[in-house]
Amino acid sequence: TITMSVSVGEYLIRRLHALGVRHVFGVAGDFALTLDKMIVDMKLLQFVNMCNGSFSFSPLTYRSEKPYTCFTF
């Protein structure tokens, strides 16, 4: 039996990508730095650092009809 260890962050990023998410809007901060770095390093999602990310992603969701996500911690 082969056992692979996958972090919660890696699983979340891969799952969001599989669901069609391509952009993640958020504010980089102390609590989110590890996840933000994983998003950038894995290159499956584009992290868009915004001061008011939650307000910025909403119009893009309606316009493109594709899912977006915004991380807040």
Side-chain angles (χ1 to χ4, degrees):
T1 304
I2 298 173
T3 304
M4 279 186 22
S5 177
V6 177
S7 71
V8 173
E10 183 179 345
Y11 175 81
L12 178 63
I13 292 165
R14 290 187 185 284
R15 186 69 181 126
L16 289 171
H17 184 264
L19 291 170
V21 174
R22 296 297 180 260
H23 297 83
V24 175
F25 293 82
V27 178
D30 292 346
F31 298 108
L33 285 178
T34 302
L35 185 59
D36 297 346
K37 184 174 182 333
M38 287 179 77
I39 291 169
V40 172
D41 290 347
M42 289 178 68
K43 299 179 180 171
L44 293 175
L45 306 174
Q46 180 181 358
F47 181 80
V48 181
N49 188 14
M50 311 209 49
C51 292
N52 293 316
S54 60
F55 299 108
S56 302
F57 83 95
S58 183
L60 290 173
T61 300
Y62 292 117
R63 193 179 90 212
S64 70
E65 297 181 3
K66 291 184 179 180
Y68 284 81
T69 186
C70 180
F71 290 115
T72 59
F73 293 90

